[in-house]
Amino acid sequence: MQGNILIIGASGQIGIELTLALRAKYGNESVIASDIRQPEDPIFEEGPFEILNVLDKDRLFEIVRKYDIKIIFQLAALLSATSEKNPAFAWELNMSGLFHTLDLAKEGHLHQVYWPSSIAAFGPNTPADSTPQYTIMEPTSVYGISKLAGERWCEYYHLKYGVDVRGLRYPGLIGYRSEPGGGTTDYAVDIFYHALETGHYTCFLQENTMLPMMMMEDAIRATVGIMEAASDRIKIRGSYNLAGISFTPAMLATEIRKHIPSFTIDYAPDFRQSLADSWPNSIDDSNARVDWGWSHEYDMERLVSTMIAEIKKKKIIKV
Ligand code: SER
């Protein structure tokens, strides 16, 4: 990646970790963080930060000019559960942010654009096991519809205007630096805080709901990896399937009990169950592995032990 980088949505689940990773690699001053609100996390004091509402294209352009930005990671979005509560706004935010960024690239201001898609772009008619890259995609959630539409627009801008845009269909992402942010897969983040604080968790998904998941460190490596790959290795301009591990709430609870034997879980599925039921159980990401050399590192044991150790450090929780 050559040139200054702007991260939009830098205080979100992925944004915080990506800001840290890119600053460590490219220097604090080359990576400009932005979000709609001033974040409290002190990590944002280590480099430039700008307030940006991605719906405001003029303000976005002003920041691009001010810092001579050449690469944008457009991460601002409402996640699946939050989107269901406000479909019109979710559609506006998730799509306008992408268009504003793609248009700046089309007009020649940017070298590269990154935009995240999701397993939510699949739907209930998609084959659920080892879901292939090319398959039936009929998402039934507002968030999933916006992701599938966005993928198509990314490819369109690449084919018609030569925009160097890249994307990944993330599985559920599990990290310890940010709190859960309104996603269906976020039970698998929330559960650790409850396990450590109260020893009990009431899960909003059923015990046998299998979903594709990934440790945040792997997701960040994939994100930086696809953006650093030579352009001719990127054969898919919509979004690549990306896989780590798959598990159910019951499997996760069993693994947590290895560290906290008294941990208990019960189940009270809500509207998020139908979102989860419409998504795959596991993903075939062989295109990413072959095209630009992706491989994941975290298995479930390592994911759980890392989450517990890091949240304990952060919250100074005693169990
Ligand atoms: N993790 C997201 C969510 O649950 C899916 O991409 O909303």
mmCIF file of all heavy atoms in Angstrom, residues 52-73:
data_model
loop_
_atom_site.group_PDB
_atom_site.id
_atom_site.type_symbol
_atom_site.label_atom_id
_atom_site.label_comp_id
_atom_site.label_asym_id
_atom_site.label_seq_id
_atom_site.Cartn_x
_atom_site.Cartn_y
_atom_site.Cartn_z
ATOM 1 N N LEU A 52 -15.806 12.438 11.376
ATOM 2 C CA LEU A 52 -16.361 12.316 10.028
ATOM 3 C C LEU A 52 -17.662 11.520 10.060
ATOM 4 O O LEU A 52 -17.706 10.384 10.530
ATOM 5 C CB LEU A 52 -15.354 11.592 9.108
ATOM 6 C CG LEU A 52 -15.893 11.176 7.733
ATOM 7 C CD1 LEU A 52 -16.259 12.393 6.889
ATOM 8 C CD2 LEU A 52 -14.873 10.311 6.981
ATOM 9 N N ASN A 53 -18.708 12.139 9.542
ATOM 10 C CA ASN A 53 -19.940 11.412 9.249
ATOM 11 C C ASN A 53 -19.847 11.025 7.775
ATOM 12 O O ASN A 53 -19.819 11.890 6.896
ATOM 13 C CB ASN A 53 -21.141 12.333 9.494
ATOM 14 C CG ASN A 53 -22.455 11.661 9.134
ATOM 15 O OD1 ASN A 53 -22.467 10.580 8.532
ATOM 16 N ND2 ASN A 53 -23.554 12.284 9.496
ATOM 17 N N VAL A 54 -19.809 9.729 7.498
ATOM 18 C CA VAL A 54 -19.525 9.286 6.129
ATOM 19 C C VAL A 54 -20.631 9.682 5.143
ATOM 20 O O VAL A 54 -20.443 9.658 3.929
ATOM 21 C CB VAL A 54 -19.245 7.759 6.122
ATOM 22 C CG1 VAL A 54 -20.533 6.968 6.307
ATOM 23 C CG2 VAL A 54 -18.515 7.336 4.871
ATOM 24 N N LEU A 55 -21.792 10.092 5.675
ATOM 25 C CA LEU A 55 -22.857 10.576 4.796
ATOM 26 C C LEU A 55 -22.517 11.955 4.222
ATOM 27 O O LEU A 55 -23.136 12.398 3.256
ATOM 28 C CB LEU A 55 -24.191 10.638 5.553
ATOM 29 C CG LEU A 55 -24.706 9.290 6.078
ATOM 30 C CD1 LEU A 55 -25.993 9.479 6.869
ATOM 31 C CD2 LEU A 55 -24.937 8.319 4.922
ATOM 32 N N ASP A 56 -21.539 12.622 4.823
ATOM 33 C CA ASP A 56 -21.145 13.970 4.400
ATOM 34 C C ASP A 56 -19.969 13.870 3.425
ATOM 35 O O ASP A 56 -18.802 13.874 3.821
ATOM 36 C CB ASP A 56 -20.781 14.781 5.657
ATOM 37 C CG ASP A 56 -20.446 16.221 5.337
ATOM 38 O OD1 ASP A 56 -20.266 16.557 4.153
ATOM 39 O OD2 ASP A 56 -20.345 17.018 6.300
ATOM 40 N N LYS A 57 -20.288 13.831 2.131
ATOM 41 C CA LYS A 57 -19.241 13.605 1.132
ATOM 42 C C LYS A 57 -18.234 14.762 1.073
ATOM 43 O O LYS A 57 -17.045 14.552 0.833
ATOM 44 C CB LYS A 57 -19.866 13.385 -0.255
ATOM 45 C CG LYS A 57 -18.844 12.853 -1.234
ATOM 46 C CD LYS A 57 -19.371 12.580 -2.621
ATOM 47 C CE LYS A 57 -18.199 12.123 -3.495
ATOM 48 N NZ LYS A 57 -18.499 12.113 -4.914
ATOM 49 N N ASP A 58 -18.720 15.994 1.297
ATOM 50 C CA ASP A 58 -17.818 17.149 1.228
ATOM 51 C C ASP A 58 -16.750 17.072 2.319
ATOM 52 O O ASP A 58 -15.584 17.360 2.100
ATOM 53 C CB ASP A 58 -18.611 18.460 1.377
ATOM 54 C CG ASP A 58 -19.532 18.667 0.184
ATOM 55 O OD1 ASP A 58 -19.256 18.074 -0.872
ATOM 56 O OD2 ASP A 58 -20.532 19.400 0.324
ATOM 57 N N ARG A 59 -17.216 16.692 3.504
ATOM 58 C CA ARG A 59 -16.279 16.574 4.636
ATOM 59 C C ARG A 59 -15.277 15.440 4.364
ATOM 60 O O ARG A 59 -14.079 15.579 4.645
ATOM 61 C CB ARG A 59 -17.086 16.301 5.914
ATOM 62 C CG ARG A 59 -16.264 15.938 7.119
ATOM 63 C CD ARG A 59 -15.694 17.169 7.835
ATOM 64 N NE ARG A 59 -14.932 16.756 9.000
ATOM 65 C CZ ARG A 59 -13.664 17.081 9.214
ATOM 66 N NH1 ARG A 59 -13.009 17.863 8.377
ATOM 67 N NH2 ARG A 59 -13.033 16.650 10.287
ATOM 68 N N LEU A 60 -15.751 14.358 3.779
ATOM 69 C CA LEU A 60 -14.846 13.250 3.428
ATOM 70 C C LEU A 60 -13.776 13.745 2.452
ATOM 71 O O LEU A 60 -12.580 13.489 2.635
ATOM 72 C CB LEU A 60 -15.656 12.088 2.819
ATOM 73 C CG LEU A 60 -14.849 10.928 2.220
ATOM 74 C CD1 LEU A 60 -13.928 10.289 3.250
ATOM 75 C CD2 LEU A 60 -15.794 9.865 1.638
ATOM 76 N N PHE A 61 -14.206 14.487 1.442
ATOM 77 C CA PHE A 61 -13.265 14.983 0.433
ATOM 78 C C PHE A 61 -12.258 15.954 1.068
ATOM 79 O O PHE A 61 -11.068 15.945 0.737
ATOM 80 C CB PHE A 61 -14.056 15.655 -0.704
ATOM 81 C CG PHE A 61 -13.229 15.949 -1.933
ATOM 82 C CD1 PHE A 61 -12.079 15.218 -2.233
ATOM 83 C CD2 PHE A 61 -13.610 16.967 -2.802
ATOM 84 C CE1 PHE A 61 -11.312 15.501 -3.361
ATOM 85 C CE2 PHE A 61 -12.854 17.257 -3.941
ATOM 86 C CZ PHE A 61 -11.703 16.520 -4.217
ATOM 87 N N GLU A 62 -12.771 16.771 2.002
ATOM 88 C CA GLU A 62 -11.885 17.725 2.702
ATOM 89 C C GLU A 62 -10.756 16.969 3.422
ATOM 90 O O GLU A 62 -9.588 17.361 3.350
ATOM 91 C CB GLU A 62 -12.771 18.475 3.718
ATOM 92 C CG GLU A 62 -12.145 19.610 4.453
ATOM 93 C CD GLU A 62 -13.156 20.138 5.510
ATOM 94 O OE1 GLU A 62 -14.327 20.420 5.151
ATOM 95 O OE2 GLU A 62 -12.763 20.221 6.677
ATOM 96 N N ILE A 63 -11.116 15.865 4.094
ATOM 97 C CA ILE A 63 -10.094 15.088 4.826
ATOM 98 C C ILE A 63 -9.135 14.417 3.843
ATOM 99 O O ILE A 63 -7.921 14.387 4.065
ATOM 100 C CB ILE A 63 -10.781 14.040 5.746
ATOM 101 C CG1 ILE A 63 -11.582 14.751 6.830
ATOM 102 C CG2 ILE A 63 -9.763 13.085 6.353
ATOM 103 C CD1 ILE A 63 -12.472 13.835 7.667
ATOM 104 N N VAL A 64 -9.675 13.921 2.741
ATOM 105 C CA VAL A 64 -8.820 13.280 1.729
ATOM 106 C C VAL A 64 -7.789 14.286 1.200
ATOM 107 O O VAL A 64 -6.606 13.972 1.053
ATOM 108 C CB VAL A 64 -9.689 12.687 0.586
ATOM 109 C CG1 VAL A 64 -8.853 12.336 -0.645
ATOM 110 C CG2 VAL A 64 -10.436 11.454 1.089
ATOM 111 N N ARG A 65 -8.231 15.524 0.975
ATOM 112 C CA ARG A 65 -7.296 16.545 0.477
ATOM 113 C C ARG A 65 -6.306 16.971 1.554
ATOM 114 O O ARG A 65 -5.116 17.126 1.297
ATOM 115 C CB ARG A 65 -8.066 17.773 -0.023
ATOM 116 C CG ARG A 65 -8.491 17.626 -1.483
ATOM 117 C CD ARG A 65 -9.139 18.884 -1.955
ATOM 118 N NE ARG A 65 -10.154 19.276 -0.964
ATOM 119 C CZ ARG A 65 -11.314 19.842 -1.239
ATOM 120 N NH1 ARG A 65 -11.634 20.118 -2.475
ATOM 121 N NH2 ARG A 65 -12.173 20.152 -0.302
ATOM 122 N N LYS A 66 -6.821 17.174 2.771
ATOM 123 C CA LYS A 66 -5.978 17.672 3.868
ATOM 124 C C LYS A 66 -4.770 16.757 4.100
ATOM 125 O O LYS A 66 -3.667 17.217 4.328
ATOM 126 C CB LYS A 66 -6.831 17.781 5.145
ATOM 127 C CG LYS A 66 -6.061 18.191 6.384
ATOM 128 C CD LYS A 66 -7.003 18.449 7.559
ATOM 129 C CE LYS A 66 -6.228 18.633 8.852
ATOM 130 N NZ LYS A 66 -7.104 18.686 10.028
ATOM 131 N N TYR A 67 -5.005 15.440 4.032
ATOM 132 C CA TYR A 67 -3.923 14.489 4.353
ATOM 133 C C TYR A 67 -3.365 13.799 3.114
ATOM 134 O O TYR A 67 -2.568 12.879 3.240
ATOM 135 C CB TYR A 67 -4.429 13.424 5.332
ATOM 136 C CG TYR A 67 -4.795 13.959 6.689
ATOM 137 C CD1 TYR A 67 -6.110 14.285 7.000
ATOM 138 C CD2 TYR A 67 -3.815 14.145 7.669
ATOM 139 C CE1 TYR A 67 -6.457 14.774 8.252
ATOM 140 C CE2 TYR A 67 -4.149 14.630 8.924
ATOM 141 C CZ TYR A 67 -5.472 14.937 9.205
ATOM 142 O OH TYR A 67 -5.807 15.417 10.449
ATOM 143 N N ASP A 68 -3.808 14.216 1.936
ATOM 144 C CA ASP A 68 -3.380 13.557 0.701
ATOM 145 C C ASP A 68 -3.583 12.035 0.800
ATOM 146 O O ASP A 68 -2.668 11.230 0.561
ATOM 147 C CB ASP A 68 -1.899 13.880 0.419
ATOM 148 C CG ASP A 68 -1.498 13.474 -0.994
ATOM 149 O OD1 ASP A 68 -2.400 13.365 -1.845
ATOM 150 O OD2 ASP A 68 -0.306 13.239 -1.237
ATOM 151 N N ILE A 69 -4.821 11.672 1.141
ATOM 152 C CA ILE A 69 -5.173 10.252 1.330
ATOM 153 C C ILE A 69 -5.182 9.526 -0.016
ATOM 154 O O ILE A 69 -5.741 10.030 -0.996
ATOM 155 C CB ILE A 69 -6.583 10.138 1.974
ATOM 156 C CG1 ILE A 69 -6.639 10.807 3.343
ATOM 157 C CG2 ILE A 69 -7.057 8.670 2.029
ATOM 158 C CD1 ILE A 69 -5.856 10.165 4.426
ATOM 159 N N LYS A 70 -4.589 8.324 -0.031
ATOM 160 C CA LYS A 70 -4.597 7.510 -1.247
ATOM 161 C C LYS A 70 -5.326 6.179 -1.066
ATOM 162 O O LYS A 70 -5.660 5.496 -2.046
ATOM 163 C CB LYS A 70 -3.152 7.226 -1.699
ATOM 164 C CG LYS A 70 -2.407 8.479 -2.144
ATOM 165 C CD LYS A 70 -3.038 9.069 -3.408
ATOM 166 C CE LYS A 70 -2.466 10.417 -3.795
ATOM 167 N NZ LYS A 70 -3.476 11.300 -4.367
ATOM 168 N N ILE A 71 -5.526 5.791 0.193
ATOM 169 C CA ILE A 71 -6.166 4.493 0.463
ATOM 170 C C ILE A 71 -7.247 4.692 1.520
ATOM 171 O O ILE A 71 -6.985 5.314 2.563
ATOM 172 C CB ILE A 71 -5.127 3.483 0.984
ATOM 173 C CG1 ILE A 71 -4.052 3.269 -0.079
ATOM 174 C CG2 ILE A 71 -5.768 2.148 1.378
ATOM 175 C CD1 ILE A 71 -2.705 2.971 0.471
ATOM 176 N N ILE A 72 -8.454 4.193 1.257
ATOM 177 C CA ILE A 72 -9.517 4.288 2.262
ATOM 178 C C ILE A 72 -10.007 2.897 2.641
ATOM 179 O O ILE A 72 -10.278 2.059 1.767
ATOM 180 C CB ILE A 72 -10.706 5.141 1.768
ATOM 181 C CG1 ILE A 72 -10.275 6.602 1.614
ATOM 182 C CG2 ILE A 72 -11.884 5.036 2.750
ATOM 183 C CD1 ILE A 72 -11.418 7.569 1.268
ATOM 184 N N PHE A 73 -10.114 2.672 3.957
ATOM 185 C CA PHE A 73 -10.814 1.506 4.502
ATOM 186 C C PHE A 73 -12.163 2.032 4.983
ATOM 187 O O PHE A 73 -12.216 2.754 5.980
ATOM 188 C CB PHE A 73 -10.041 0.886 5.677
ATOM 189 C CG PHE A 73 -8.759 0.208 5.274
ATOM 190 C CD1 PHE A 73 -7.619 0.935 4.995
ATOM 191 C CD2 PHE A 73 -8.693 -1.179 5.180
ATOM 192 C CE1 PHE A 73 -6.432 0.309 4.624
ATOM 193 C CE2 PHE A 73 -7.517 -1.822 4.821
ATOM 194 C CZ PHE A 73 -6.376 -1.077 4.540
#
